[in-house]
Amino acid sequence: MNAKSAISKEIFAPHDERMLGAVQVKRRTKKKIPFLATGGQGEYLTYICLSVTNKKPAQASITKVKQFEGSASFVRRTQWMLEQLRQVNGIDPNRDSPEFDLLFENAFDQWVASTASEKYTFFQVLHNTCQRYLTDKKPEFINCQSKIMGGFGKQREWTMWTPRSMREERRRCAGAETLLHPAERTGNSILHSAADSVTSAVQKASQALNERGERLSRAEEKTEELKNSAQQFAETAHKLAMKHKC
């Protein structure tokens, strides 16, 4: 059993929660230790985990889990409700980077994932979970590669063209078109038609991405239900076998 499966079984299953994703991390900057602090537990591995309750209405949360050196068990540390997450910073949208920041209402952590691909997988699950379980006050995803959010990650220092911003830009330029030569207006008309096509494609891609996220989430829930049912069946069968054996 790998570490993430063990965390799901030991930390979340006993509390009737499902783990949706996890990423192994270490701090980018060393945490300040109080001058009088003593009795540390030694080296440890840290995992940032995303989970949701099985009980309806479902509530999602982010939990920091640690595994100390020499121990096979995992320990639940800090936990935040997903509503407390304010910003997810991918640090660099132009290269594969394992670094990222998480900003909560009352905390800010700077992390380095074990690999860039593990970070991206966690970001995709986190983004889909936010879209599904948060109705308002969704966290801001910034400096993320477009492939993570299907082309909709917000990045600093450049313009992300959305259907709305494209329409606003066309309206802003509409008044100036009356001053142009007829041939220039014809050229602009062609450009606007192309922009409409791009807008339509973006909207369709966005809808397809959201639908895909919903299907994946439903598949995850069904898989977890089947897994729990199989586990309960196995436990019942084992109890019956022991009873008849006695």
Side-chain angles (χ1 to χ4, degrees):
M1 181 183 298
N2 61 35
K4 294 178 183 178
S5 297
I7 292 173
S8 178
K9 183 178 180 180
E10 292 181 25
I11 300 297
F12 298 104
H15 296 276
D16 198 25
E17 295 177 80
R18 291 183 295 110
M19 190 176 80
L20 304 178
V23 57
Q24 183 180 338
V25 298
K26 62 180 180 180
R27 291 187 180 276
R28 283 211 316 278
T29 56
K30 291 184 178 181
K31 190 174 183 180
K32 293 183 179 180
I33 302 176
F35 179 74
L36 297 178
T38 57
Q41 292 179 275
E43 297 295 327
Y44 55 83
L45 299 177
T46 303
Y47 297 85
I48 302 298
C49 306
L50 179 64
S51 64
V52 64
T53 59
N54 291 319
K55 185 178 179 181
K56 306 298 181 182
Q59 292 186 331
S61 59
I62 296 176
T63 307
K64 188 188 304 180
V65 175
K66 292 185 178 182
Q67 182 184 34
F68 289 94
E69 186 178 22
S71 174
S73 60
F74 297 87
V75 180
R76 183 193 294 255
R77 290 302 194 186
T78 313
Q79 185 175 48
W80 301 271
M81 300 306 297
L82 191 59
E83 291 84 352
Q84 295 178 282
L85 181 61
R86 290 291 172 261
Q87 186 183 88
V88 179
N89 190 343
I91 304 301
D92 192 339
N94 301 315
R95 66 181 181 88
D96 291 336
S97 168
E99 300 179 349
F100 67 96
D101 296 342
L102 296 179
L103 174 64
F104 296 92
E105 286 181 349
N106 58 353
F108 173 68
D109 284 320
Q110 297 177 308
W111 301 108
V112 179
S114 57
T115 64
S117 61
E118 188 177 6
K119 163 193 163 180
Y120 296 144
T121 300
F122 181 75
F123 270 28
Q124 287 174 331
V125 175
L126 178 59
H127 183 262
N128 288 336
T129 302
C130 290
Q131 297 302 312
R132 180 173 184 182
Y133 293 102
L134 298 181
T135 56
D136 52 18
K137 289 187 178 181
K138 294 178 182 179
E140 180 184 30
F141 283 76
I142 65 171
N143 298 324
C144 296
Q145 290 185 326
S146 59
K147 64 183 178 180
I148 295 176
M149 264 69 71
F152 295 94
K154 181 179 179 182
Q155 301 176 11
R156 287 175 175 166
E157 297 181 354
W158 65 286
T159 302
M160 172 63 72
W161 287 103
T162 64
R164 179 180 178 182
S165 62
M166 292 174 72
R167 289 194 299 269
E168 291 176 348
E169 181 66 13
R170 289 202 301 272
R171 284 197 297 268
R172 187 182 67 82
C173 297
E177 287 194 4
T178 59
L179 303 177
L180 297 177
H181 188 276
E184 292 177 318
R185 288 200 295 270
T186 301
N188 281 346
S189 177
I190 295 173
L191 291 175
H192 288 170
S193 297
D196 288 336
S197 298
V198 172
T199 299
S200 177
V202 169
Q203 291 173 336
K204 290 179 179 179
S206 176
Q207 181 179 357
L209 181 65
N210 290 334
E211 292 175 353
R212 179 174 179 270
E214 289 292 329
R215 289 196 297 271
L216 287 174
S217 297
R218 288 195 294 269
E220 289 174 354
E221 289 183 353
K222 188 63 177 178
T223 300
E224 190 65 25
E225 290 175 1
L226 292 173
K227 178 182 176 182
N228 292 336
S229 297
Q231 185 176 359
Q232 292 174 1
F233 178 81
E235 292 175 355
T236 302
H238 178 71
K239 291 179 181 178
L240 289 174
M242 294 300 295
K243 180 178 180 181
H244 289 295
K245 183 176 180 181
C246 297

